[in-house]
Amino acid sequence: MLALFYIFIGVAIGVSFWQITRIMNFRSSIADDNDNAAQGKYAMAFLAFLYAMMIYCLIFMNVILLPESASIEGEHDDNLFNITFWLIGIVQFIMQFLIFYFTFKYKGNKSRKAKFYADSHKLEFIWTITPAVVMVGLIGYGLWQWNNVMDLSDEDAIVIEVYSQQFRWDARYAGADNTLGYGNVNYIKGINTMGVDMSDKNAADDKQVTELYLPKGKKVHFKFRSQDVLHSAYMPHFRAQMNCVPGMVTEFGFTPKYTTEEMRQQPEVIEKVIGINKIRRAKGEEPYQFDYLLLCNKICGASHYNMQMKITVVEQDEYEKWLSEQPTLTEVIK
C-alpha cells in the first residue's frame, strides 16, 4: 500500500509538470471566438455533470448517514444539521448555476465590449447582512442546544461515571444515594481499576460495570474521567460527545428515546444492517446486529480502534432488574 502511495505521488508530480509545460507553451496563443465558444459549452457540460453528481449523492448516498437521533436532546442536533445542510445546499445550487451560466453567457466575443461597474451599496448591504443574520440564527440555535445538553439540573437523573484509559472503557453507577464516591488515579490498586476512594461513604453502593444499560425516557447524567491521555466519549446515535481530560471531570446529559429493540426496527437501521451484512457475507464474517456504542473519537494510541463499549437501552423495569443484579464496589473490593 505504501509503494502504491509513492507511485501515486510520482504520477501526480509528473502530470503537474506536464500541465505546467503545456500552459507555458500557450503563452503566445490568443484565444479566438471559437475557443471561447467551446469553453462556454464545456462550462455548461460540467454544470450538468455537477448537478447529476449532487442529485446522485442526495438520493443514493443518504444510506451512510446516521439514522434518527435516539435521544430527545439529539433531535435539536438533527434539526440544526438539516437546516444548515439545506441552506448550504440551496445556496450552492444557485451559485454554481450563476458561475457556470455566466461563464457561458459572457464568454469572450470580439464584437462585445465590457461594461465597467464600480460598485453598489445596495448589493454590498444585501450580501453582507443576509449571511450575518443567518449565522446569528444558526449560532444562537447551536448555543441554545449546547445549554440544553449541558443542563444537569434534573435531580432525578441517573448518575453514571464513564472512565477512559488506553484502551478500554469502564463505567460506574451511583447507588441508591445517586451520588458517586470520589475517584482519583492515586487510589488505583489491584481490582480497584477506576481509582475509587473506598473511604468515601458515597462509594460503598457504587457499581462498576463494563457495559452500559440505560432506561428509556429517563435523563442520564454522565461524568467522564481519563486515567492517562485525552480521550473522547462519543455516542453517535445519541448525538453526544465529550472529551475525557486527565485530572478533571467533564459531563453532559441526555434522555434515551428508543430502546435498542425499537431502534433495530427503524427502517433506516434495517436498511443499513442489510447493507453491512451483505459486505460481511462476502468476507465470510459473522452477521452484524445493530447495537448502540460508546466510541473513542480521539486517536489516543495504537489500539484506539478497540475502545468500544456496548450500550443497551431498555424499559425502566428491565433496567432496574439489571442494575439490582450488579454487585456493589463494597462487595467486590473487600
Side-chain angles (χ1 to χ4, degrees):
M1 182 59 70
L2 187 60
L4 185 62
F5 174 74
Y6 287 138
I7 292 172
F8 173 78
I9 293 296
V11 171
I13 293 173
V15 171
S16 299
F17 276 110
W18 175 63
Q19 289 284 30
I20 292 171
T21 303
R22 289 189 63 202
I23 292 171
M24 296 297 291
N25 292 334
F26 288 147
R27 286 184 302 174
S28 59
S29 302
I30 299 176
D32 55 25
D33 287 349
N34 292 331
D35 294 326
N36 293 331
Q39 293 299 322
K41 293 176 182 177
Y42 295 155
M44 295 304 293
F46 184 80
L47 177 63
F49 170 76
L50 183 64
Y51 278 171
M53 292 300 297
M54 288 172 57
I55 295 170
Y56 172 82
C57 290
L58 286 171
I59 296 175
F60 297 104
M61 301 299 287
N62 185 53
V63 71
I64 67 174
L65 297 177
L66 286 169
E68 177 188 352
S69 170
S71 69
I72 294 174
E73 291 78 5
E75 293 174 356
H76 297 290
D77 287 84
D78 286 355
N79 290 338
L80 186 58
F81 173 85
N82 290 330
I83 292 170
T84 305
F85 179 86
W86 284 108
L87 280 174
I88 294 174
I90 291 170
V91 171
Q92 192 260 3
F93 194 91
I94 295 172
M95 292 305 299
Q96 292 297 337
F97 173 79
L98 293 177
I99 289 171
F100 289 100
Y101 175 71
F102 286 167
T103 301
F104 170 77
K105 182 176 181 180
Y106 298 108
K107 57 186 175 292
N109 191 318
K110 292 181 180 180
S111 63
R112 181 187 297 152
K113 291 186 178 180
K115 179 182 178 181
F116 177 74
Y117 193 80
D119 56 49
S120 169
H121 295 301
K122 183 178 180 180
L123 285 176
E124 292 280 356
F125 181 84
I126 291 173
W127 66 49
T128 301
I129 297 301
T130 302
V133 171
V134 172
M135 287 297 295
V136 168
L138 291 175
I139 293 172
Y141 189 9
L143 289 173
W144 178 87
Q145 168 59 358
W146 171 258
N147 291 328
N148 184 37
V149 173
M150 297 303 292
D151 180 12
L152 304 173
S153 59
D154 186 352
E155 295 182 357
D156 293 328
I158 298 170
V159 180
I160 303 174
E161 180 185 67
V162 175
Y163 188 71
S164 60
Q165 58 181 297
Q166 293 174 310
F167 298 96
R168 60 175 286 175
W169 298 100
D170 286 293
R172 179 164 58 112
Y173 285 70
D177 57 4
N178 206 33
T179 304
L180 290 166
Y182 178 71
N184 189 283
V185 292
N186 294 319
Y187 294 103
I188 296 176
K189 184 178 180 180
I191 59 175
N192 188 0
T193 56
M194 292 183 69
V196 180
D197 181 5
M198 294 307 297
S199 65
D200 185 345
K201 64 179 182 179
N202 293 320
D205 58 355
D206 290 352
K207 299 182 176 184
Q208 183 175 339
V209 297
T210 56
E211 179 180 347
L212 283 171
Y213 262 70
L214 307 178
K216 173 186 172 182
K218 182 79 171 179
K219 185 69 175 280
V220 183
H221 178 175
F222 286 98
K223 297 187 175 185
F224 302 96
R225 285 193 296 136
S226 174
Q227 178 176 307
D228 35 50
V229 300
L230 188 68
H231 300 276
S232 189
Y234 179 42
M235 307 178 196
H237 296 95
F238 301 100
R239 309 298 191 264
Q241 177 172 298
M242 179 60 69
N243 283 347
C244 307
V245 185
M248 67 180 293
V249 176
T250 54
E251 51 192 349
F252 66 56
F254 64 75
T255 308
K257 187 170 66 171
Y258 298 118
T259 66
T260 299
E261 287 300 324
E262 288 173 341
M263 200 64 175
R264 286 172 179 170
Q265 301 307 314
Q266 293 276 357
E268 287 181 283
V269 174
I270 293 173
E271 185 179 358
K272 291 177 188 296
V273 170
I274 291 173
I276 292 171
N277 283 333
K278 183 178 179 181
I279 296 172
R280 293 179 70 89
R281 278 196 302 271
K283 295 181 177 180
E285 298 176 351
E286 293 294 321
Y288 161 79
Q289 185 178 42
F290 172 84
D291 280 309
Y292 296 120
L293 289 174
L294 165 63
L295 307 170
C296 179
N297 210 20
K298 286 283 189 297
I299 300 178
C300 56
S303 296
H304 155 76
Y305 63 93
N306 278 331
M307 287 192 66
Q308 298 185 17
M309 177 185 279
K310 182 180 176 182
I311 304 174
T312 303
V313 180
V314 295
E315 298 291 348
Q316 182 69 32
D317 56 347
E318 187 176 348
Y319 164 77
E320 292 175 356
K321 179 178 181 296
W322 173 86
L323 189 61
S324 66
E325 296 170 349
Q326 309 306 311
T328 64
L329 285 178
T330 302
E331 294 170 334
V332 175
I333 304 173
K334 298 178 181 180

